[in-house]
Amino acid sequence: MPKRKSRHEVENGKINPDRAQAMGIKRKPKRQKVTDGNMGWIKKRARAIERLFEHDNAKMPAHVRGDLERELAAHKQRIAEDRQRKHRSKMIGKYHMVRFFERKKATRRAKQIKKQLAETTDPGEKARLESDLHIAEVDIDYAIYYPFLERYISLYAAPGKEEKGEGKEKKSPIDDLHTPRPPIWSDIEKAREEGKAALEKIQNRQSEAAEEVKKGKKGGIEKQKRLPSGKKTSGGGDDEGGESENEAFFEE
């Protein structure tokens, strides 16, 4: 009977991986090495410097301590930036679909109003349509330039049970343009007059929650709670977003 190949032989290329899979030999996943420059090394080095300060503070020469303090500050900055980048990516992924659909709705309504404007000759009706068109255009920019690091507030909320009941008059899509808007809507309306740079400033602004994430506070990101059954639930209904940033998805 031929000798069974070991996992060691598979990993060292002595047996074809496809054949190994057919034989039931699983390949051990390779761990990422903690090397100089990657985030694992940076965190490990920062912890080592902090422990060094705790134990050998009195014996350490002043110039060595100064060098280590500057190195520790640089490492902490890198760690904070990495934490913030992951949080930003998560928030973009979480709200990316609702922002997309609301932008499409607002764009569709703006086109409908423009068509009505081209057909009307009544001055009063024209003034009303121009006002609606302005709201729809601000709604488009709201969906695009709403701050990435803040919880997105929907403009076109789904109707509740009471609104769906029998005998209720169906709302026109244009009726959504006359519902109350969040306070940030006015900020975006003003920023539109200043140009794209002002809108991007709002889009990339830091929220209090983002600052907490950057500092590494527990309140910054709501941790998942584990139910007795083993299922996970998040405090705020957060879904993990992909690491890739889909900013281009919201561009006009």
Side-chain angles (χ1 to χ4, degrees), residues 81-146:
E81 288 171 358
D82 182 68
R83 188 181 293 116
Q84 188 179 21
R85 178 186 61 80
K86 288 179 179 178
H87 179 62
R88 176 187 173 90
S89 179
K90 174 184 175 179
M91 294 296 284
I92 289 173
K94 180 178 178 181
Y95 296 113
H96 127 151
M97 288 307 294
V98 65
R99 291 169 71 132
F100 170 73
F101 287 125
E102 292 211 339
R103 178 170 68 87
K104 297 294 282 184
K105 282 181 182 179
T107 303
R108 194 160 54 244
R109 284 163 196 182
K111 287 180 180 178
Q112 291 172 355
I113 294 167
K114 284 179 182 177
K115 185 178 179 182
Q116 291 173 8
L117 265 171
E119 295 172 353
T120 188
T121 54
D122 181 71
E125 180 69 9
K126 191 172 183 180
R128 185 187 66 79
L129 289 171
E130 285 174 349
S131 175
D132 287 348
L133 179 60
H134 172 74
I135 294 170
E137 288 174 342
V138 177
D139 285 354
I140 294 169
D141 284 336
Y142 177 94
I144 296 171
Y145 295 105
Y146 191 95

Side-chain angles (χ1 to χ4, degrees), residues 159-199:
K161 291 181 179 179
E162 294 180 1
E163 295 178 10
K164 288 182 178 179
E166 293 183 6
K168 294 286 183 180
E169 188 178 346
K170 288 186 178 180
K171 288 185 178 181
S172 167
I174 303 299
D175 291 340
D176 286 335
L177 298 176
H178 304 135
T179 56
R181 293 293 188 261
I184 193 174
W185 190 92
S186 300
D187 296 339
I188 291 171
E189 184 182 26
K190 292 174 185 176
R192 291 179 81 246
E193 299 173 4
E194 299 175 25
K196 189 175 180 180
L199 288 167

